[in-house]
Amino acid sequence: MLIIVFITSSIGGFAVYASSKYLERNTRDLSLQVLQQYSENMDNHAKSLINTSVYLLSDDAFRSIISEGTLDTASDNYPIFRSQLEALLLQYGNSHPSINFIGIRTNSGKSIWWENKKGASRTKDVNYFNEVLSSEAVAIEQAGIEIAWHASTRMPNEVLMSRKFINLNNVNQSLGTLVFGIDSTYFLSMESNSSLIRKENLVILNEEGSLLASGGTTIVDDKSGQSMNSSFLLVREYMKNLDWQVLCYIPKDILYANKHVLTVVIILVSLVALVISSIFAFYFSVSTTSLIKKLEQAMKLVEKGDFDVHIEPAGQDEIGSLTIRFNFMIARIRELINTVYKERLAKQQAEFSVLLCQINPHFLYNTLGTVKWYAHMKQQNDIVQMMNAIINLLKSSVRRENEYHPLSEEINHIRDYIYIQKIGYGEAIEVHYEIDPEVMPAYVPYFALQPLVENAILHGLEMSKGNGLITIHAYREGQALFLLVEDNGIGMNAKKVEHILHRGDRKGLFSGLTSIGIRSVHERIQLYYGCDYGLSYESVEGSGTKARIRLPFILNLREAENYA
């Protein structure tokens, strides 16, 4: 009886404690899901503002006035140019109702701004705007960044976005600083059916950890981002693209408002269990020993890795219920083992999909610049061929129906990619194809060779600054298909070779580059075909690099899918 009383009391007390923690954890998880969606919306809002600023930077008339130095206050045309600038700012400002003002600080120290007159209390004198624009220009320059976000000192519900005014005709030239004043409700507005998550509970911190915007009374430390009051539950979400933090603090008195009801229910259930247990304690103590032994033996089998164990329930008592739960647990473990593998495969597939969507901006910029140069200087059909190559690459990224295609299509994509690269590199790159015609119909994973070729150009040939030779081999050995990309670039040491596929984080060993594409190819192949297949490297510093892919030789799409 003492044991029963002790156990029942312990379970009841722990249940009260655990229920509080469970409620807090579930609330935190639910809040985090809402904040994740909210942060995505906020990210989209920020991108919209950045795009608005890009439209302003790309305005030829606006950039012409700024770059030609026509804002000289001593010039007779100064009033005309100032009026033109203010009219342009008005045009862009009215396109976004959440913009309070737009200001520009030129490199010569001249300031021009437009202010939304929605509220008279927002208006400040000329000295204030000159001070704000000047301080933002200094902050951008000292930080060495292109875009910065700060809280406004003009009014409590305003956020400042500052960026360098880049001359798009010469991206290395900055014409000044562009500053946007945005109503903070543009970021803080959200729709939630939860009574615990409201706009008033939200706080936004910028990339420096400083307060950017708040929906109500701020109860977080501006430096650490921690709650200064233990009566609140703090939930934090980090934004991926902006390095912002979104904080939501939930009052615990609201969270635990109905806790006493749960406590009473748990106590009553414990008392009932105590009475019933006392009546049948003697009977159970005699009848359960043999059943416990069966469970023990089954658990030992599970410890050895046998998850096919099944015990027939011997009754409907606690041990019988425990037997049923044990069988359910084993089935659940089997299911989770499969689920974990599927989730890992889905994760790799999602990562691969993201990789396909990430067109290198530098590559795209150079390509389009080459198109413009050809159009202006040559006026030849080479432009059509180059655009066809670009279109083929883009189509191959977005119009695929499955994860496999014939090697011949993969080679065609590589030819298009090499054609575009050779326009920029000229005769500095030469590509040879040594492909056995027998293997051209074989099915290979989509997008398997392009990262290797790109890696050879960017890591090996471009860094060598010499005449580069890339040789692409494809051949069959038994039931295995081998794809080999060989270059005569700078090569790598053994540490770098090991790092590419097996160690470290996803950051590349070369400045500005990343090995995520190479790692993705290797992991996808092993997920599809097993550890006997994948990517390997052979390289010596100064003697080039060989990247070799080993795949099963499969000539049928359905067979490839079934194999995976």
Side-chain angles (χ1 to χ4, degrees):
M1 289 295 297
L2 290 177
I3 293 176
I4 293 174
V5 170
F6 174 75
I7 293 177
T8 306
S9 302
S10 299
I11 292 176
F14 178 76
V16 173
Y17 172 80
S19 64
S20 300
K21 295 300 179 181
Y22 181 79
L23 178 61
E24 182 176 323
R25 186 188 65 182
N26 281 6
T27 302
R28 187 187 299 274
D29 293 342
L30 176 61
S31 302
L32 186 58
Q33 293 177 8
V34 175
L35 287 184
Q36 287 174 348
Q37 181 63 43
Y38 175 65
S39 63
E40 292 179 2
N41 294 336
M42 186 188 306
D43 193 18
N44 292 333
H45 286 182
K47 288 181 181 178
S48 175
L49 289 171
I50 294 175
N51 290 337
T52 299
S53 68
V54 172
Y55 296 149
L56 191 59
L57 298 181
S58 62
D59 192 299
D60 293 334
F62 193 84
R63 186 172 63 252
S64 175
I65 296 174
I66 297 297
S67 61
E68 293 177 4
T70 51
L71 288 179
D72 186 0
T73 55
S75 172
D76 294 337
N77 293 326
Y78 175 75
I80 297 176
F81 289 125
R82 183 182 181 93
S83 298
Q84 292 177 354
L85 288 177
E86 291 178 348
L88 289 171
L89 292 177
L90 172 62
Q91 174 185 352
Y92 285 98
N94 286 337
S95 67
H96 206 299
S98 296
I99 296 179
N100 295 336
F101 75 87
I102 305 176
I104 296 177
R105 176 82 171 182
T106 65
N107 290 333
S108 60
K110 302 297 185 300
S111 298
I112 297 295
W113 65 85
W114 164 84
E115 183 183 14
N116 193 329
K117 300 298 183 179
K118 292 186 295 184
S121 61
R122 292 176 175 162
T123 304
K124 294 288 185 180
D125 57 15
V126 175
N127 292 332
Y128 171 79
F129 278 104
N130 284 329
E131 180 181 352
V132 170
L133 296 177
S134 176
S135 63
E136 290 298 311
V138 171
I140 286 286
E141 187 65 28
Q142 291 179 347
I145 57 179
E146 182 178 350
I147 299 178
W149 302 82
H150 301 100
S152 174
T153 59
R154 183 171 73 143
M155 53 189 302
N157 296 323
E158 186 174 67
V159 177
L160 298 181
M161 184 192 78
S162 308
R163 71 173 301 161
K164 290 184 179 180
F165 196 110
I166 301 299
N167 184 357
L168 296 184
N169 292 329
N170 183 3
V171 295
N172 295 323
Q173 179 186 11
S174 175
L175 303 179
T177 303
L178 179 63
V179 181
F180 282 74
I182 306 107
D183 193 331
S184 62
T185 57
Y186 177 68
F187 295 106
L188 292 170
S189 59
M190 66 176 293
E191 296 181 1
S192 175
N193 296 326
S194 175
S195 60
L196 300 177
I197 305 176
R198 298 188 295 268
K199 171 184 175 183
E200 293 76 13
N201 295 357
L202 298 176
V203 172
I204 303 174
L205 304 180
N206 64 10
E207 62 276 6
E208 299 173 354
S210 300
L211 181 65
L212 189 62
S214 173
T217 305
T218 303
I219 61 168
V220 296
D221 188 345
D222 191 34
K223 298 299 182 182
S224 66
Q226 299 296 325
S227 174
M228 297 184 295
N229 191 331
S230 60
S231 62
F232 291 90
L233 173 64
L234 181 62
V235 182
R236 183 194 310 266
E237 171 68 10
Y238 291 90
M239 297 180 60
K240 298 179 180 178
N241 296 327
L242 295 176
D243 291 331
W244 291 1
Q245 300 180 42
V246 183
L247 309 180
C248 178
Y249 49 92
I250 302 173
K252 289 187 178 179
D253 55 348
I254 298 178
L255 181 63
Y256 298 132
N258 297 322
K259 178 181 175 181
H260 65 281
V261 176
L262 180 61
T263 303
V264 172
V265 171
I266 292 176
I267 292 175
L268 291 177
V269 171
S270 299
L271 291 175
V272 172
L274 174 62
V275 173
I276 296 176
S277 298
S278 301
I279 296 174
F280 294 98
F282 178 78
Y283 172 77
F284 287 143
S285 64
V286 175
S287 62
T288 58
T289 304
S290 60
L291 299 177
I292 291 177
K293 288 294 183 180
K294 290 183 179 180
L295 281 176
E296 181 185 7
Q297 294 172 0
M299 290 179 181
K300 289 181 178 180
L301 293 176
V302 173
E303 290 178 357
K304 296 179 181 179
D306 184 2
F307 294 102
D308 294 327
V309 175
H310 180 78
I311 304 175
E312 290 296 332
Q316 298 181 354
D317 55 9
E318 286 81 354
I319 298 300
S321 177
L322 184 60
T323 303
I324 295 175
R325 294 300 177 184
F326 176 81
N327 292 333
F328 176 79
M329 179 189 68
I330 297 302
R332 182 61 175 164
I333 289 176
R334 290 196 299 267
E335 179 183 350
L336 288 177
I337 290 174
N338 293 329
T339 301
V340 168
Y341 181 81
K342 292 178 181 178
E343 288 178 351
R344 182 185 174 200
L345 181 61
K347 173 179 175 294
Q348 294 297 323
Q349 188 58 48
E351 186 179 70
F352 174 59
S353 299
V354 171
L355 178 64
L356 290 180
C357 297
Q358 293 177 336
I359 300 176
N360 189 320
H362 180 71
F363 166 73
L364 183 58
Y365 179 87
N366 289 341
T367 302
L368 295 180
T370 305
V371 174
K372 179 179 179 181
W373 182 80
Y374 264 84
H376 181 71
M377 298 297 295
K378 298 293 184 179
Q379 297 183 357
Q380 295 181 357
N381 292 330
D382 293 343
I383 298 176
V384 176
Q385 298 179 11
M386 181 172 60
M387 292 305 297
N388 284 336
I390 296 175
I391 291 172
N392 289 337
L393 287 177
L394 294 178
K395 284 183 178 179
S396 67
S397 302
V398 299
R399 293 187 178 180
R400 57 192 182 89
E401 298 179 355
N402 50 65
E403 296 301 321
Y404 308 91
H405 64 171
L407 178 60
S408 57
E409 295 184 13
E410 184 77 6
I411 297 299
N412 289 336
H413 296 163
I414 294 300
R415 293 183 189 275
D416 290 333
Y417 176 79
I418 293 297
Y419 177 82
I420 296 173
Q421 291 288 13
K422 285 182 68 66
I423 293 175
Y425 288 94
E427 300 300 322
I429 295 178
E430 183 178 0
V431 180
H432 290 171
Y433 298 90
E434 298 182 4
I435 300 174
D436 186 354
E438 178 190 3
V439 302
M440 293 295 277
Y443 278 84
V444 299
Y446 188 86
F447 202 65
L449 279 177
Q450 194 273 345
L452 305 185
V453 177
E454 181 180 7
N455 191 64
I457 295 175
L458 297 182
H459 291 197
L461 302 183
E462 181 173 314
M463 292 184 178
S464 67
K465 304 301 181 183
N467 292 328
L469 173 62
I470 296 177
T471 305
I472 300 176
H473 305 267
Y475 56 94
R476 175 185 179 184
E477 290 185 1
Q479 294 302 316
L481 171 65
F482 289 89
L483 307 179
L484 178 64
V485 178
E486 181 179 4
D487 66 72
N488 64 343
I490 62 173
M492 297 179 290
N493 57 35
K495 181 179 179 181
K496 291 180 179 179
V497 172
E498 177 71 13
H499 180 90
I500 288 178
L501 298 177
H502 302 293
R503 293 185 180 175
D505 55 13
R506 297 271 178 167
K507 299 296 182 182
L509 294 178
F510 302 95
S511 176
L513 299 175
T514 176
S515 62
I516 183 174
I518 301 299
R519 192 84 59 85
S520 177
V521 170
H522 179 63
E523 293 179 353
R524 280 196 306 130
I525 291 174
Q526 291 202 331
L527 284 173
Y528 290 157
Y529 306 116
C531 296
D532 293 336
Y533 301 95
L535 175 62
S536 61
Y537 268 86
E538 298 178 12
S539 182
V540 178
E541 286 189 310
S543 300
T545 301
K546 294 181 180 179
R548 179 180 287 102
I549 297 178
R550 186 174 189 268
L551 301 169
F553 185 78
I554 300 176
L555 296 175
N556 182 275
L557 175 59
R558 183 178 297 275
E559 181 183 354
E561 294 175 342
N562 292 337
Y563 197 109

